[in-house]
Amino acid sequence: MSVDAPDQGAAPEAVTGRAESTSTWAALRPLVLRLHFYAGLLIAPLLLVAAVSGLLYSLSFQAEKFVYRDELTAPVSGPYLPLGAQVDAAREARPDATVTAVWPAYEEGMTTRVLMDAPGVAEGRSLAVFVDPYTTGIRGELPSYGSSGALPLRAWLDELHRDLHLGDVGRYYSELAASWLWVVALGGLLLWLGRRRRTKRDLVLPERGAKGRRRTLSWHGSVGLWAVTGLVLLSATGLTWSRYAGENIGALQDRLGGATPTVSAAIGEGGAAGGDGHEGHGGTGHGTQHQGADIGIDVAVAAAHEAGVDGRIAVTLPSDGTGYVVKETDTQYPVHLDSVAVDPADGRVIDELRFADYPLLAKLTRFGIDGHMGVLFGLANQLVLAALMGALILLIVWGYRMWWLRRPTKERTLGAGRPAPRGAWRKVPVTVLLPLAAATAAAGWFVPMLGISLLVFLAVDVAVGAAARTRARTGS
């Protein structure tokens, strides 16, 4: 995420080679460099906030296990008691609440999580009552958020990363950061690959013996090369949750037949249960309690097991017009995300959905979302996210350091450095310039925050250029 201006520390032979080059890249490079400079200078603060909050979020999974260990664990003291008894214990503990879903303990020493719609719980959250599966004792209760079951610590960090706890207004920050991250990352990659260097080693590792700004640039470029793929993927998956680009992505996915399917729990004229691929950043749905014959949660789970849905599961209780929904929730690859709907009157499986039957685009979306959230590969996924966020923080710091080292110091103490000269676009061949302009316009339309901010950048640049010309005429 360089906020660097044209490189003045390159070897003389490199400068000569670039000056003599008449290739398309030689014409494009000043344009890319100018965009990289302005985007790095103005967007980097938002990326820094996103990186720091993302780093904290990636570490929150392990912190959550420690902070809430009393609620999440229970001493092993015999066989599991029936789920129905565990749910009844939660109801007795919170008679003012309505049970909406149950997450049975899936490993020894873990508690069962009973999710409830309770008064006083914020919108978009459920009250999680943690039940000892061996004794039905209550281990505690906490607010729970989304299908990932984020508890208060992780939910707080998730909201910090997503909207700075400012609601819809704060989402503009994260959408703007995600909109520009891939542009800055790919622009930096092009600039780094386009440099001439003494050895091939200097492409992938910091240059030996380099000092000052050249050393900083070497670290910035080599680390950026290693991180660019992950940063682009984070940008793309992050945009799926954004307000404006997210709507366009969802519409495009639907047109391409890649919408995430859902299992239908409708009985007769009832509604349908299920969820889309973005449950991790949404609340748990709450419905009215089911009225009529009910086989009970234990029979429903047994029916799901017979249908091949077992292991780590979540059970949504029936409401008026719908049955039980039993979903596998093991997102660690290979994922187990099959689901079935069970009729509460007779335990018959009325619908089933296998992850293998998802459209390819829906599968890729699921993998991307889970990877962004740090749950696809468990601890390994979280460590990769932490490493990427650490790399992004360093790239931003190094970028600002290069800017600081190149600041003008003769006329004034502070300055914004020197971007590539204006008018570089005039040297770009028309056969390249027109498709590039069309692609930029399309990207700006599809990712509106990118397009709007780019127009702002251009307006500021034109204004600064006009002011500079006015000063020059006045001085002369």
Side-chain angles (χ1 to χ4, degrees):
M1 308 315 106
S2 174
V3 292
D4 185 27
D7 179 20
Q8 303 297 324
E13 63 272 17
V15 176
T16 302
R18 288 196 297 271
E20 294 177 350
S21 174
T22 58
S23 65
T24 301
W25 169 241
L28 280 175
R29 183 180 183 279
L31 192 62
V32 176
L33 185 58
R34 192 171 186 84
L35 178 65
H36 195 66
F37 173 83
Y38 275 122
L41 187 67
L42 301 175
I43 300 298
L46 301 181
L47 292 175
L48 183 61
V49 172
V52 172
S53 59
L55 175 62
L56 295 174
Y57 176 79
S58 66
L59 301 176
S60 67
F61 290 87
Q62 304 306 314
E64 189 176 67
K65 294 178 181 178
F66 175 78
V67 173
Y68 304 116
R69 60 189 182 278
D70 290 341
E71 290 84 1
L72 294 172
T73 60
V76 179
S77 58
Y80 286 167
L81 296 176
L83 272 177
Q86 299 177 48
V87 173
D88 288 342
R91 286 195 176 106
E92 291 177 6
R94 289 301 302 260
D96 58 333
T98 302
V99 177
T100 58
V102 180
W103 295 8
Y106 60 92
E107 289 181 358
E108 287 192 353
M110 296 188 65
T111 53
T112 292
R113 191 179 304 195
V114 180
L115 301 179
M116 312 181 83
D117 185 5
V121 177
E123 183 180 358
R125 285 173 167 76
S126 295
L127 177 68
V129 177
F130 298 86
V131 182
D132 186 328
Y134 308 101
T135 66
T136 70
I138 305 301
R139 301 285 296 178
E141 55 184 54
L142 293 167
S144 177
Y145 176 73
S147 64
S148 65
L151 298 179
L153 173 63
R154 182 152 58 96
W156 190 89
L157 291 173
D158 178 56
E159 289 187 8
L160 176 68
H161 179 67
R162 187 173 70 254
D163 59 20
L164 301 178
H165 294 278
L166 297 176
D168 290 338
V169 174
R171 292 183 64 184
Y172 295 136
Y173 120 81
S174 58
E175 182 165 0
L176 192 59
S179 298
W180 276 96
L181 177 56
W182 66 274
V183 177
V184 179
L186 292 179
L189 176 65
L190 291 175
L191 292 171
W192 184 244
L193 294 177
R195 285 178 57 87
R196 293 179 181 269
R197 46 187 54 85
R198 296 184 180 90
T199 65
K200 293 182 179 179
R201 176 193 176 279
D202 294 340
L203 174 66
V204 296
L205 294 174
E207 184 179 343
R208 292 173 178 171
K211 296 181 180 180
R213 179 182 166 279
R214 187 177 182 86
R215 179 184 178 185
T216 303
L217 175 61
S218 178
W219 277 96
H220 180 91
S222 56
V223 171
L225 179 67
W226 286 100
V228 64
T229 301
L231 295 179
V232 170
L233 290 175
L234 285 177
S235 174
T237 53
L239 284 174
T240 63
W241 284 297
S242 62
R243 180 175 180 180
Y244 300 109
E247 292 179 358
N248 291 335
I249 292 172
L252 177 62
Q253 185 176 351
D254 291 343
R255 291 194 189 101
L256 295 176
T260 302
T262 59
V263 65
S264 173
I267 303 174
E269 298 298 324
D276 61 22
H278 299 75
E279 291 173 300
H281 283 269
T284 302
H286 298 153
T288 58
Q289 284 186 300
H290 170 68
Q291 304 292 329
D294 191 343
I295 55 173
I297 188 172
D298 291 282
V299 176
V301 170
H305 285 178
E306 292 181 3
V309 176
D310 53 15
R312 184 172 181 175
I313 61 173
V315 184
T316 302
L317 270 63
S319 58
D320 285 342
T322 66
Y324 286 94
V325 175
V326 184
K327 294 183 178 182
E328 293 177 336
T329 59
D330 183 6
T331 55
Q332 296 190 38
Y333 192 84
V335 299
H336 298 93
L337 297 175
D338 296 344
S339 56
V340 297
V342 179
D343 191 324
D346 55 16
R348 177 175 50 90
V349 173
I350 56 179
D351 191 27
E352 62 180 52
L353 176 63
R354 306 296 174 181
F355 185 71
D357 297 328
Y358 278 36
L360 177 60
L361 189 56
K363 290 181 181 178
L364 295 177
T365 301
R366 180 78 264 172
F367 293 149
I369 291 171
D370 289 344
H372 190 106
M373 293 176 60
V375 299
L376 181 57
F377 297 104
L379 179 60
N381 193 167
Q382 295 148 27
L383 292 176
V384 169
L385 285 179
L388 280 174
M389 293 302 96
L392 181 55
I393 292 170
L394 290 174
L395 290 171
I396 294 169
V397 171
W398 286 328
Y400 274 112
R401 173 173 168 75
M402 287 187 289
W403 164 75
W404 180 255
L405 291 174
R406 294 198 69 258
R407 73 194 189 283
T409 57
K410 293 182 179 180
E411 297 83 2
R412 53 189 182 276
T413 303
L414 296 177
R418 296 185 301 277
R422 291 182 176 85
W425 62 271
R426 297 188 182 95
K427 300 179 182 179
V428 180
V430 175
T431 54
V432 175
L433 184 61
L434 292 180
L436 180 62
T440 302
W445 172 83
F446 192 75
V447 186
M449 294 296 284
L450 174 65
I452 294 172
S453 56
L454 182 58
L455 290 176
V456 172
F457 285 178
L458 291 175
V460 170
D461 193 39
V462 169
V464 171
R469 289 192 296 271
T470 300
R471 286 195 303 267
R473 286 195 298 266
T474 303
S476 60

